Amino acid sequence: MSFDAYLYDHVRTPRGKGKKDGGLHQASPVWLLRTLLQALAQRLSLDTALVDDVVLGCVTPVGEQGADIARTAVLDAGWAQRVAGVTQSRFCASGLESINLAAAKVASGFERLVVAGGVESMSRWPMGSDGGAWFMDPRINQALGFIPQGISADLIAALEGFARSDVDGYAAESHRRAAAARAQGYFDASLVPVHDIAGLLLLAQDETIRPGTSLETLAKLEPSFAMMGQMGFDATALRKYTTLEGIPHIHHAGNSSGIVDGAALMLVGNQAGGAAAGLKPRARIRAAAVIGSEPTLMLTGPTPACQKALQQAGMQVADIDLWEINEAFAVVPMKTARDLGVSLERVNVNGGAIALGHPLGATGCVILGTLLDELERRDLNTGCATLCVGGGMGIATIIERV
């Protein structure tokens, strides 16, 4: 027997600049999760003993983020001792993977209520701190054609014919949309300010939006990945993609996702779980999918993942009202929208990770929550959230309001 998986509520921290002077640098990743777990329980008057499990994504699970941070956070937040916790990583898709795993748990009937989401404190534990064979094993690196993601983004742009002005124009629009959304309070319903242990406010709003961003300001930034390319990674890519004579490096700090700290949580349950907690669902998950994609291009997974999820749901692209396509690099949503035949007017309507930042393990949960809020605000019905994934993968989740 299977059950519908519903989304009951979601919360997130602001996203703080992922440097030592960032607004959330003083907050440990466990503290971010504690803040959200307590806020979620308070706003829903939730008996936490009704929650079966907490499933969290964390891409760099080392140091304070290591071991099983989900269980640590459950206990630190004062939740019922019986609530379990598990931490997993599907790289940048980890936050959405957590929700999909939670949905599978409650749809099977094995569990009734699960909290899902993720955390990443990039100012305290930089991306890549956990190593791995991609970075540390020359045999793996050579055999699998690994190149850094930024060079993958530049490679895709070269293959697709996107120019520097195209990706910069997309980035400027991301900042404009995000600034407008923040000014109009579109993020406020799910945003939980973070205070320190003494109760002093650390951060109440997303920190990396730059309202004045323009083509002119972005044109002054130097490409970020040209030197890496010269170190041999361009040659690795060109051995596979022989139609290209070279790779123009057009991505930089201004048209790539921001490095930030942040956390996000969502309460997922079946009907029985929600009823026991006295809650009404806001949406249900229609379908979820993951796929593997070419590991050198790496960032092209969203299109086939969305197509797989649509097929599972018995839906067409035109049936989706709004899209959230993670802005790992500007070229990712641009290519995905082109591939699917979706107007960018329906993609990331409140900006994306270029403006707001990409707290790796949390982002998938963040964008699904943003999507749900915006569907409600516009009185629309269906949405799809998708992310490209390191190592060549894609993930997608389709939701429908109830």
Side-chain angles (χ1 to χ4, degrees), residues 36-219:
L36 292 185
L37 285 165
Q38 292 180 342
L40 187 64
Q42 182 176 10
R43 69 193 259 152
L44 296 178
S45 300
L46 180 65
D47 177 0
T48 61
L50 295 173
V51 176
D52 295 294
D53 201 2
V54 174
V55 181
L56 293 181
C58 183
V59 175
T60 311
V62 294
E64 301 160 299
Q65 296 183 157
D68 184 357
I69 193 172
R71 176 60 174 165
T72 306
V74 163
L75 296 174
D76 190 44
W79 276 38
Q81 183 176 296
R82 65 180 292 175
V83 182
V86 63
T87 307
Q88 55 79 29
S89 172
R90 195 187 288 279
F91 295 147
C92 300
S94 298
L96 194 57
E97 176 70 2
S98 293
I99 292 165
N100 294 349
L101 289 173
K105 283 169 169 278
V106 302
S108 71
F110 289 169
E111 296 173 1
R112 302 202 304 177
L113 281 179
V114 178
V115 170
V119 65
E120 209 77 36
S121 185
M122 300 181 77
S123 70
R124 298 166 75 105
W125 299 100
M127 181 169 53
S129 298
D130 56 336
W134 280 113
F135 300 100
M136 303 179 71
D137 186 333
R139 182 188 67 81
I140 291 291
N141 189 295
Q142 183 174 11
L144 302 184
F146 168 79
I147 60 176
Q149 285 192 354
I151 294 177
S152 294
D154 290 337
L155 174 60
I156 293 167
L159 292 168
E160 294 289 325
F162 292 123
R164 168 75 182 254
S165 58
D166 297 324
V167 292
D168 281 356
Y170 181 93
E173 179 64 8
S174 180
H175 280 281
R176 188 198 67 77
R177 292 182 182 187
R182 181 176 62 182
Q184 295 175 77
Y186 293 167
F187 302 135
D188 292 353
S190 61
L191 204 56
V192 177
V194 178
H195 298 79
D196 67 13
I197 198 167
L200 298 176
L201 180 66
L202 294 177
L203 192 64
Q205 294 286 337
D206 297 306
E207 195 172 27
T208 60
I209 303 171
R210 298 187 297 276
T213 301
S214 66
L215 278 171
E216 291 71 28
T217 60
L218 292 173

Side-chain angles (χ1 to χ4, degrees), residues 32 87 120 152 284 286 319 324 334 379:
L32 297 179
T87 307
E120 209 77 36
S152 294
R284 71 182 177 105
R286 286 284 303 269
D319 296 326
E324 283 287 327
M334 294 173 71
D379 195 22

Side-chain angles (χ1 to χ4, degrees), residues 156 160 162 170 298-307 310 317 323-344 347-348 384-389 393-396:
I156 293 167
E160 294 289 325
F162 292 123
Y170 181 93
M298 195 183 306
L299 310 174
T300 56
T303 296
C306 290
Q307 291 168 335
L310 287 165
V317 169
W323 299 78
E324 283 287 327
I325 305 171
N326 187 43
E327 295 174 356
F329 301 89
V331 75
V332 176
M334 294 173 71
K335 173 174 169 52
T336 305
R338 174 191 282 181
D339 289 347
L340 294 171
V342 174
S343 167
L344 288 173
V347 174
N348 302 348
C384 181
T386 184
L387 299 91
C388 60
V389 190
M393 292 184 283
I395 190 170

Side-chain angles (χ1 to χ4, degrees), residues 287 304-316 398:
C306 290
Q307 291 168 335
K308 183 179 178 180
L310 287 165
Q311 184 177 19
Q312 288 177 357
M315 301 173 72
Q316 304 294 324
I398 297 172

Side-chain angles (χ1 to χ4, degrees), residues 356-372:
L356 293 154
H358 179 15
L360 304 176
T363 302
C365 182
V366 172
I367 67 173
L368 192 69
T370 299
L371 179 63
L372 175 56

